[in-house]
Amino acid sequence: MMIAYRLITEDDTSEFCHRVTEALAKGWALQGDPQYAFDASRGVMRCAQAVTKTTNTTYSRELKLGQL
């Protein structure tokens, strides 16, 4: 048994919400509050949300976390 961790990041658009919602629909759980920061080089707000999922998968660096 392992707990997988992902940090979903995206510009502050509906795409960020869709990515987080997709993770939740696939059994991932929110961890903490979403975070926001201004990317001065691009002039946009960026969002981040940590998510975790308990799985029977064995850890490997080649593991594609988004596919769990």
Side-chain angles (χ1 to χ4, degrees):
M1 181 106 30
M2 97 172 176
I3 299 173
Y5 170 89
R6 292 173 57 201
L7 182 64
I8 300 170
T9 62
E10 184 70 48
D11 289 350
D12 187 11
T13 65
S14 63
E15 180 61 22
F16 173 74
C17 296
H18 284 286
R19 291 183 64 203
V20 173
T21 300
E22 178 183 32
L24 295 173
K26 291 181 176 181
W28 292 81
L30 298 175
Q31 292 299 308
D33 295 328
Q35 300 297 308
Y36 300 91
F38 183 68
D39 180 344
S41 66
R42 295 179 48 230
V44 297
M45 289 297 291
R46 298 279 296 167
C47 305
Q49 175 64 59
V51 293
T52 60
K53 183 177 185 178
T54 302
T55 177
N56 289 325
T57 305
T58 301
Y59 175 74
S60 162
R61 286 188 80 61
E62 289 76 35
L63 185 63
K64 302 229 184 282
L65 296 172
Q67 295 177 357
L68 291 177

